[in-house]
Amino acid sequence: MSALKIYFAPMEGITDGILRRVHRDIFSGVDVYCLPFHKLTQSLSLTARETRDVDPEENAGLTVLPQALTRDPSQLLAWLDYIAGLQYRCADLNLGCPSPTVTKRGRGSGMLRDPGFLLSFFDFVFEHSLPVPLSVKTRIGFDDPGEWPRILGILAEYPFDHVTVHVRTAKEQYTCAKHPEAFDTAVREGVPHLVYNGDLRTTEDVSGLLARCPETEAVMIGRGLLADPSLARQFRGGKRASAEELSRWYSTLYVRWKERFGTTVALGRIKKLMEWPSEGDIRKRRLLRRADSIEGCIQAILGGCDGDGRPA
Ligand SMILES: Cc1cc2nc3c(=O)[nH]c(=O)nc-3n(C[C@H](O)[C@H](O)[C@H](O)COP(=O)(O)O)c2cc1C
């Protein structure tokens, strides 16, 4: 399992530079930290948040993958120049965002609705010599998994650095059924440089994927790393997070977020992050909702756990 490349999934509003650095310092195990998307505009003026997030100083010592959201190939090319100027080694295009506000403009997974448009988009992009390798993060269709062979066939025509596959359609959002076999088939057909994404929550989930599909080179993990930030380290044979490490994780994030955004935002971010370790636990969720300090939040999540962070 140790040769497996691990990407920390981009999660807008959660995985900012502070979280990336604190994660690396306490837990490590991740090869590439993915940046939430930059929503490109005609003028290519990024927001203050986007500009800071991609600033090399914000990402010092980390390997990161910036991401763009656009359906305009000229905007993408201009953004790739900007990313190359910051000396990043690869850049990603979002073909997966299922939010209706994004897809109704034909962006994110909205681009998957029209295979003809996808072809002309990437024909235009790859007619140019790219200043930095391009990757894509896609879903397996918009409405129906039956769309996947056509989408995969299109993506396989172009020299992407890698293709991350979230094994759901846009309609399936984040929690409905998923289709791991769509990934396995693509790997078996010899499509190179695929990254598996979707619900890898435990070391057993990853072992199961590798048993089914031993050729898997890389995985991307989002919510699994929020629920258990030591997951990538465990894949490398390292230990599970101790209660002390988890407490340090939350309190360091709180202090850094408070320095940057103030107390209210910092507490809101901590509570959003703690939605995952408290998933499915009504008692923890209730305590978390009522907590009005970082100590209260940590007590809600870790109270009743033994020194290894497991329920006592
Ligand atoms: C709150 C939230 C924000 C997200 N933001 C992005 C984003 O900016 N770009 C992107 O490609 N995917 C985004 N995603 C999708 C995740 O990167 C990932 O594909 C998804 O959570 C499935 O992986 P997981 O089951 O390991 O969490 C987001 C997901 C969540 C829950």
Side-chain angles (χ1 to χ4, degrees), residues 42-284:
Q42 214 53 53
S43 62
L44 201 76
S45 48
L46 300 183
T47 63
R49 182 196 63 72
E50 290 169 343
T51 307
R52 177 170 59 202
D53 202 48
V54 77
D55 186 334
E57 261 185 44
E58 184 77 355
N59 298 298
L62 299 172
T63 302
V64 301
L65 179 65
Q67 189 188 60
L69 181 78
T70 183
R71 61 179 279 114
D72 179 333
S74 304
Q75 280 177 10
L76 180 66
L77 290 169
W79 179 79
L80 290 177
D81 278 337
Y82 168 70
I83 294 299
L86 297 174
Q87 311 296 323
Y88 289 118
R89 292 197 306 232
C90 186
D92 195 66
L93 175 69
N94 182 312
L95 297 179
C97 181
S99 159
T101 52
V102 166
T103 58
K104 77 173 183 230
R105 294 199 166 88
R107 297 189 288 197
S109 62
M111 283 171 74
L112 305 177
R113 273 181 149 155
D114 183 350
F117 173 76
L118 262 192
L119 272 171
S120 59
F121 180 94
F122 289 120
D123 278 349
F124 184 92
V125 168
F126 284 102
E127 264 165 25
H128 297 75
S129 125
L130 302 186
V132 61
L134 179 67
S135 59
V136 286
K137 180 165 179 278
T138 187
R139 290 193 176 231
I140 60 165
F142 192 84
D143 289 310
D144 191 291
E147 297 162 34
W148 180 231
R150 175 94 170 100
I151 293 167
L152 181 67
I154 291 173
L155 298 179
E157 281 192 32
Y158 302 96
F160 292 111
D161 182 81
H162 61 272
V163 176
T164 303
V165 186
H166 182 181
V167 290
R168 289 194 169 90
T169 62
K171 206 168 156 188
E172 288 164 340
Q173 296 280 329
Y174 292 101
T175 50
C176 300
K178 59 178 187 291
H179 311 274
E181 67 288 351
F183 178 84
D184 305 357
T185 318
V187 170
R188 267 195 297 277
E189 282 173 9
V191 179
H193 312 308
L194 295 176
V195 180
Y196 183 95
N197 175 234
D199 296 280
L200 296 175
R201 301 292 186 106
T202 62
T203 47
E204 289 74 28
D205 291 338
V206 177
S207 316
L209 167 66
L210 292 177
R212 258 192 0 253
C213 195
E215 305 90 335
T216 307
E217 294 169 15
V219 295
M220 178 181 283
I221 306 168
R223 292 164 296 177
L225 274 165
L226 302 185
D228 178 355
S230 67
L231 201 53
R233 182 174 78 192
Q234 291 177 55
F235 296 158
R236 315 267 185 223
K239 63 181 175 55
R240 199 186 154 90
S242 64
E244 182 280 321
E245 278 179 317
L246 289 171
S247 176
R248 190 148 44 92
W249 161 242
Y250 293 123
S251 46
T252 311
L253 283 173
Y254 176 71
V255 168
R256 304 263 167 88
W257 278 335
K258 190 171 141 189
E259 280 163 9
R260 184 169 282 180
F261 304 115
T263 310
T264 311
V265 173
L267 205 58
R269 281 188 165 238
I270 286 290
K271 287 190 176 192
K272 193 166 178 195
L273 176 61
M274 286 180 170
E275 277 176 21
W276 280 277
S278 63
E279 207 177 11
D281 187 326
I282 296 167
R283 187 179 149 273
K284 280 188 179 174

Side-chain angles (χ1 to χ4, degrees), residues 2-20:
S2 59
L4 193 71
K5 191 166 181 177
I6 301 176
Y7 291 80
F8 199 137
M11 283 177 282
E12 217 265 308
I14 304 173
T15 58
D16 67 354
I18 289 178
L19 183 139
R20 295 191 288 272

